């Protein structure tokens, strides 16, 4: 069950809910920043930045500069308010360890909870497969084309890569934090370098090319779902909030909002900075050619600009981005898989060992990721399109519906940001559906 007022901690002798505390004291109290918070910020950034680098630049740059201006203005607030809403759903539940899968059951009942947990799992699990395929292809290309090595058997290379990334996650949060720090900080530095290095290649005449109104609206409409997908760190937001509930108690909601805000700021600066720099360097025509060639934008830049160092830097950036995003989506994928079993079979009461359930889900994810990497399906764009609307429903629409319907979330009602997030979610879902139409 979710909190009843009698079960809440007291603040000044009066029982309050986390939602009441946050809305009453949130503007007065600014929690101090700690190294613990920084480690979570880096984890959230790493979760989202892979998709932003691998999938966003070509899609966002094809429409030209003016739709990109609108996208840049919108994506920061969209990212912040949406993830804050998802975090608020988790904060309001009494049990410190209750994640989004248990929260859904407690708010909406067993049947709806199972459905939401399955949807949550399906919004994350295909992305794990995407990264298993992508890192195998990227490392194989690096070994053969840049390092001059003989190609390894695909089943062996993919097995090593999938097991290596999975082993870091299984080893525990401390190792994940260390490895994420090692790879994300260099990634930020590499992105900053590329953004600046591409400035001499910018084609500023594209600013004068105002598209027709219909093309402009269509471009903005279709880029928003890609932005939602590329800036999503929903897979790690639930676990972030659970961790903060244990550490900050009633102040967990305020701390989560603080971490999410700075994650959104840094993501917008570096990811959209990279998108802008690449788009201005290549122009809409170059982006369309990169899509036709089925190349990551960094690889296409290396070919077009004839810079040998990009042939090494490009795959290195892709590998680091894939690994960091894999870690974040692993958290959500395992959480969702365990939640499906617990909510469906009622095993949370101790009838089945939770450790064995978790190991079983991990085994399933590792095995299927390895199989996907071996098969190397050409379905990445399709998976992205299917993941996009599901992410929008879970990240944008579900929290707003919960705030509207669930009593304990009532203090969050009536905010203009709720309307903004709902509209953005509906646009994201409808844009992808429109993009799939013949």
């Amino acid at each position: 069950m979710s909190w009843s007022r009698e079960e809440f901690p007291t603040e000044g002798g009066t029982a309050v809910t986390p939602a009441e505390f946050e809305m009453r004291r949130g503007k007065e109290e600014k929690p101090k920043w700690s190294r613990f918070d920084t480690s979570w910020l880096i984890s959230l950034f790493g979760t989202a930045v892979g998709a932003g680098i691998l999938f966003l630049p070509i899609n966002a740059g094809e429409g030209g500069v003016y739709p990109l201006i609108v996208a840049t203005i919108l994506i920061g607030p969209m990212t912040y308010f949406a993830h804050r809403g998802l975090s608020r759903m988790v904060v309001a539940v009494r049990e410190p360890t209750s994640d989004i899968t248990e929260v859904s059951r407690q708010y909406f009942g067993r049947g709806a909870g199972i459905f939401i947990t399955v949807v949550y799992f399906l919004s994350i699990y295909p992305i794990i497969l995407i990264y298993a395929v992508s890192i195998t292809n990227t490392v194989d290309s690096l070994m053969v084309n840049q390092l001059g090595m003989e190609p390894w058997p695909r089943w062996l290379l993919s097995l090593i890569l999938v097991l290596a990334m999975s082993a870091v996650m299984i080893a525990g949060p401390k190792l994940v934090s260390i490895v994420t720090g090692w790879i994300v900080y260099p990634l930020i530095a590499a992105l900053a370098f590329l953004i600046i290095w591409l400035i001499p290649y910018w084609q500023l005449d594209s600013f004068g090319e105002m598209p027709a109104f219909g093309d402009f609206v269509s471009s903005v409409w279709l880029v928003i779902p890609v932005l939602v997908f590329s800036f999503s760190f929903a897979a790690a937001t639930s676990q972030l909030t659970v961790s903060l509930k244990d550490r900050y108690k009633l102040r967990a909601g305020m701390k989560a909002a603080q971490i999410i805000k700075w994650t959104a700021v840094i993501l917008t600066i570096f990811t959209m900075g990279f998108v802008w720099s690449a788009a201005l360097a290549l122009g809409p025509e170059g982006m369309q050619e990169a899509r036709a060639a089925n190349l990551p934008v960094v690889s296409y830049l290396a070919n077009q600009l004839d810079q040998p160092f990009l042939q090494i830097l490009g795959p290195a950036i892709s590998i680091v981005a894939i690994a960091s995003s894999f870690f974040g989506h692993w958290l959500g994928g395992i959480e969702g898989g365990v939640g499906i079993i617990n909510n469906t079979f009622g095993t949370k009461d101790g009838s089945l060992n939770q450790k064995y359930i978790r190991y079983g889900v991990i085994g399933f994810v590792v095995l299927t990721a390895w199989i996907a990497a071996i098969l190397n399906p050409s379905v990445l764009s399709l998976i992205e399109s299917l993941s996009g609307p599901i992410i929008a429903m879970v990240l944008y629409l579900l929290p707003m519906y919960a705030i509207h319907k669930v009593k304990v979330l009532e203090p969050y009602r009536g905010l203009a940001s709720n309307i903004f997030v709902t509209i953005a979610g509906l646009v994201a879902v409808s844009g992808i559906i429109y993009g799939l139409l013949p």
Side-chain angles (χ1 to χ4, degrees):
M1 297 294 293
S2 58
W3 292 83
S4 65
R5 181 168 297 278
E6 292 72 20
E7 295 172 311
F8 275 92
T10 60
E11 181 74 16
T14 304
V16 294
T17 69
E20 290 172 334
F21 184 86
E22 180 181 353
M23 298 306 291
R24 184 186 308 165
R25 304 284 297 276
K27 295 181 179 179
E28 302 173 10
E29 296 191 6
K30 293 184 178 180
K32 293 182 179 179
W33 195 266
S34 68
R35 182 178 297 179
F36 177 84
D37 304 335
T38 301
S39 67
W40 266 112
L41 185 152
I42 292 300
S43 296
L44 298 181
F45 176 88
T47 300
V49 74
I53 293 173
L54 296 174
F55 304 119
L56 181 59
I58 294 175
N59 291 308
E62 281 183 328
V65 168
Y66 289 98
L68 199 51
I69 292 175
V70 176
T72 305
I73 293 171
L74 290 177
I75 191 55
M78 284 170 55
T79 302
Y80 169 59
F81 290 128
H83 288 86
R84 187 185 67 174
L86 187 65
S87 175
R88 284 174 168 176
M89 282 186 64
V90 180
V91 159
V93 174
R94 182 183 71 249
E95 294 84 356
T97 59
S98 291
D99 56 32
I100 188 64
T101 63
E102 296 167 15
V103 165
S104 299
R105 174 176 53 82
Q106 295 178 30
Y107 283 163
F108 304 113
R110 183 170 179 268
I114 293 173
F115 173 76
I116 292 171
T117 302
V118 171
V119 171
Y120 177 72
F121 177 74
L122 292 178
S123 72
I124 298 169
Y125 169 67
I127 303 174
I128 298 176
L129 305 185
I130 287 176
Y131 289 133
V133 174
S134 297
I135 198 167
T136 302
N137 291 340
T138 302
V139 172
D140 180 70
S141 176
L142 174 65
M143 293 170 60
V144 174
N145 297 318
Q146 275 73 49
L147 302 181
M149 300 172 59
E150 290 294 323
W152 289 17
R154 189 173 181 88
W155 69 267
L156 178 60
L157 178 62
S158 59
L159 178 63
I160 292 173
L161 294 172
V162 170
L163 287 180
M165 293 193 298
S166 302
V168 173
M169 299 304 302
I170 296 171
K174 186 173 181 180
L175 181 59
V176 173
S177 178
I178 293 172
V179 173
T180 302
W182 284 348
I183 64 179
V184 171
Y185 286 119
L187 176 60
I188 292 174
L191 286 177
F193 168 77
L194 271 182
I195 291 169
I196 297 171
W197 183 82
L198 287 172
I199 290 176
Y201 298 93
W202 287 3
Q203 304 170 32
L204 297 180
D205 56 337
S206 58
F207 276 103
E209 299 173 3
M210 183 66 183
F213 180 76
D215 293 337
F216 173 79
V217 172
S218 178
S219 295
V220 172
W221 189 16
L222 293 178
V223 80
I224 285 179
V226 184
L227 288 169
V228 168
F229 178 83
S230 299
F231 276 74
S232 171
F233 47 90
T237 300
S238 174
Q239 288 301 314
L240 160 74
T241 311
V242 170
S243 177
L244 295 178
K245 284 165 64 177
D246 179 61
R247 189 180 184 94
Y248 291 101
K249 312 304 180 188
L250 275 177
R251 291 165 176 79
M254 293 185 292
K255 175 55 69 174
Q258 187 183 39
I259 295 174
I260 289 169
K261 178 184 71 175
W262 285 110
T263 303
V265 168
I266 295 174
L267 269 174
T268 302
I269 291 172
F270 285 97
T271 302
M272 291 309 297
F274 175 69
V275 170
W276 267 101
S277 203
L280 289 175
L282 291 177
E285 296 79 9
M287 289 297 183
Q288 292 170 4
E289 291 174 6
R291 175 188 286 274
N294 199 27
L295 285 173
V297 69
V298 177
S299 299
Y300 187 78
L301 281 167
N303 296 338
Q304 291 296 108
L305 302 180
D306 192 26
Q307 295 292 336
F309 80 94
L310 276 182
Q311 296 179 7
I312 297 296
L313 183 62
I317 289 176
S318 296
I319 291 170
V320 170
I322 291 168
S324 64
S325 289
F326 181 91
F327 294 157
H329 286 91
W330 172 283
L331 288 173
I334 301 303
E335 176 187 53
V338 171
I340 290 174
I341 296 175
N342 284 330
N343 288 346
T344 304
F345 300 103
T347 55
K348 190 69 175 178
D349 59 1
S351 59
L352 198 61
N353 192 306
Q354 289 297 300
K355 182 170 66 174
Y356 294 150
I357 294 176
R358 184 174 180 82
Y359 286 158
V361 173
I362 289 173
F364 169 79
V365 171
V366 170
L367 178 62
T368 52
W370 179 39
I371 293 173
I374 294 174
L375 297 177
N376 190 24
S378 301
V379 293
L380 297 187
S381 61
L382 178 61
I383 293 177
E384 177 186 354
S385 296
L386 292 176
S387 294
I390 300 177
I391 290 174
M393 287 187 285
V394 171
L395 178 57
Y396 284 70
L397 301 181
L398 174 63
M400 297 304 103
Y401 176 77
I403 288 172
H404 178 69
K405 296 292 289 187
V406 179
K407 179 68 175 177
V408 77
L409 299 174
E410 186 177 6
Y412 298 130
R413 296 175 190 171
L415 302 178
S417 59
N418 295 345
I419 300 173
F420 174 73
V421 170
T422 302
I423 293 174
L426 292 174
V427 170
V429 173
S430 65
I432 290 183
I433 293 174
Y434 172 78
L436 291 176
L437 294 177

